[in-house]
Amino acid sequence: MKSIQYKLFKSGFAILLPVALLACACSDQSKKEPVATTAVPKITTVKVISPVQRQPLYKLTVPGELVPFEQVTIYPKIKGFVKKIFVDRGSVVKKGQLLALLEAPEVNEKYQSSRSDQQKYYEDYLYSRQSFDRLKKAAEKNGAVAAIELDKARSKLRADSSAYASAKSTTSASAQLSDYLRITAPFDGVIVDRNISVGALVGENMTTSLFVVAQNQRLRLTVAIPEKHAASVSTGTDVTFTVSDHPGKVYHSKLSRDGKLLQQSTRSVTVEFDVNNKDMSLSGGEYAQVLLMLRRPEPTLWIPATSVVHAQSGIFILDADSGRIKRIPVVEGIRQDSLQEVFGQLKPDLKIVKNGTEELAEGTKIKTKN
């Protein structure tokens, strides 16, 4: 009896187990399948602003260099020995002042010979002229002087006149060579360097200079203006500068010369400011820290610095005019406080996202508020 009951229980369990498993599977399947719903895309709301046009003064700090207004290295024109030296390093000189005297006996001899030749040709010229004048006067009487004789006298006068003019030129050239023995200052200044001694042989083919003379009562402040600021320099641009050997002292000047041409090696334009140095407080040759006050030639567009997005793909702003994001590449200029100067395909009436972010992709649909 127990054996029969056990067999009936076993067969019933075998029938019920698959049914239970199927019910569980159906229940799990119903939990996994989501209920289909219609999702509404989210539209981002952004604040927008318009660029403003400004033409403000702005500051630019760059290094500069003070150099003598004029500086020249003096070489000898002709070969000779140094006879006398009248100045030394640091001597203050005036224009035309004698710096050194050279000695070249052959030059003096050549000059004396030229003067003698000039005198000889002058005497010949005077004689020819007198002879021609006499024959011309005698020829006023018919048959007194043959015409050919008068022509000969005229030809001789012309030849002697030309010889005398040539002798005068030769003497003048010899005198000029004699003047080259006197070394004089080309302008007011100071002797920066002296490279000779008495008795030294100097000449036109030698590389050693005699003196270096610099004008330091007036200096040039040379400054290299970076390319993106070159157009902001104009007549009357103010500059202040300091030098390390006079701490705390500020010097002032205005633009004197603009190089105009952009130098390819440095991508900058060199400008100069004249500096009065009559009190000799500046030596010339110092490096200076220069502060320039610049202004763009025309008004430019400015936006909040937060509107500019810096990404790996470049620098851009987000245009929201059409209700969808459009990225516009820009180039940054200068920055003043919270405003950034920008250049690009921009118009003053654009609507730009105030707080730009790279997360707003191209074409993203947005709502705007001012």
Side-chain angles (χ1 to χ4, degrees), residues 110-111 113-115 117-118 164-176:
K110 186 175 181 180
Y111 172 66
S113 175
S114 298
R115 287 197 62 183
D117 291 342
Q118 178 183 340
Y164 173 56
S166 177
K168 283 178 65 177
S169 297
T170 302
T171 303
S172 178
S174 298
Q176 186 63 54

Side-chain angles (χ1 to χ4, degrees), residues 34-40:
V35 178
T37 57
T38 303
V40 179

Side-chain angles (χ1 to χ4, degrees), residues 41-57:
K42 185 179 179 181
I43 299 178
T44 305
T45 301
V46 295
K47 292 182 180 180
V48 295
I49 53 93
S50 294
V52 294
Q53 289 185 314
R54 299 179 67 210
Q55 195 180 8
L57 276 172

Side-chain angles (χ1 to χ4, degrees), residues 141-279:
K141 296 180 180 180
N142 292 332
V145 178
I148 190 171
E149 294 297 328
L150 186 61
D151 290 341
K152 284 182 180 179
R154 182 183 288 108
S155 177
K156 182 71 166 57
L157 174 61
R158 289 175 178 173
D160 289 344
S161 176
S162 297
Y164 173 56
S166 177
K168 283 178 65 177
S169 297
T170 302
T171 303
S172 178
S174 298
Q176 186 63 54
L177 289 177
S178 297
D179 287 342
Y180 288 149
L181 296 175
R182 295 170 53 86
I183 310 300
T184 58
F187 46 75
D188 296 353
V190 62
I191 302 298
V192 177
D193 202 3
R194 165 194 159 180
N195 300 314
I196 55 171
S197 298
V198 174
L201 176 64
V202 296
E204 53 185 344
N205 295 324
M206 297 184 179
T207 57
T208 303
S209 63
L210 304 181
F211 303 99
V212 177
V213 184
Q215 187 182 79
N216 61 346
Q217 290 190 353
R218 190 180 177 193
L219 302 175
R220 299 173 188 259
L221 175 64
T222 60
V223 181
I225 305 296
E227 180 179 3
K228 69 178 182 178
H229 299 289
S232 301
V233 179
S234 60
T235 303
T237 296
D238 293 322
V239 64
T240 59
F241 66 94
T242 58
V243 292
S244 59
D245 54 349
H246 292 283
K249 187 170 183 179
V250 179
Y251 299 86
H252 302 266
S253 184
K254 287 184 178 293
L255 180 69
S256 302
R257 284 164 292 278
D258 185 351
K260 303 295 184 183
L261 182 66
L262 185 68
Q263 298 181 11
Q264 298 298 318
S265 58
T266 60
R267 307 304 302 173
S268 62
V269 174
T270 300
V271 298
E272 290 184 347
F273 301 84
D274 290 349
V275 179
N276 189 342
N277 190 39
K278 288 185 177 180
D279 59 356

Side-chain angles (χ1 to χ4, degrees), residues 19-72:
V19 175
L21 291 175
L22 180 60
C24 291
C26 292
S27 176
D28 291 341
Q29 186 67 24
S30 64
K31 291 180 180 179
K32 290 181 180 179
E33 292 180 357
V35 178
T37 57
T38 303
V40 179
K42 185 179 179 181
I43 299 178
T44 305
T45 301
V46 295
K47 292 182 180 180
V48 295
I49 53 93
S50 294
V52 294
Q53 289 185 314
R54 299 179 67 210
Q55 195 180 8
L57 276 172
Y58 67 94
K59 297 179 181 180
L60 176 65
T61 303
V62 290
E65 183 179 7
L66 285 165
V67 297
F69 192 79
E70 299 288 354
Q71 181 168 316
V72 65

Side-chain angles (χ1 to χ4, degrees), residues 54 58 228-229 232 296-303 308 315-317 328-334 340-346:
R54 299 179 67 210
Y58 67 94
K228 69 178 182 178
H229 299 289
S232 301
R296 298 289 189 194
E298 296 178 356
T300 55
L301 295 180
W302 297 70
I303 61 176
V308 183
I315 302 174
F316 55 87
I317 61 173
I328 302 178
V330 294
V331 176
E332 292 181 302
I334 60 175
Q340 175 67 54
E341 182 185 33
V342 290
F343 302 93
Q345 299 297 321
L346 305 176

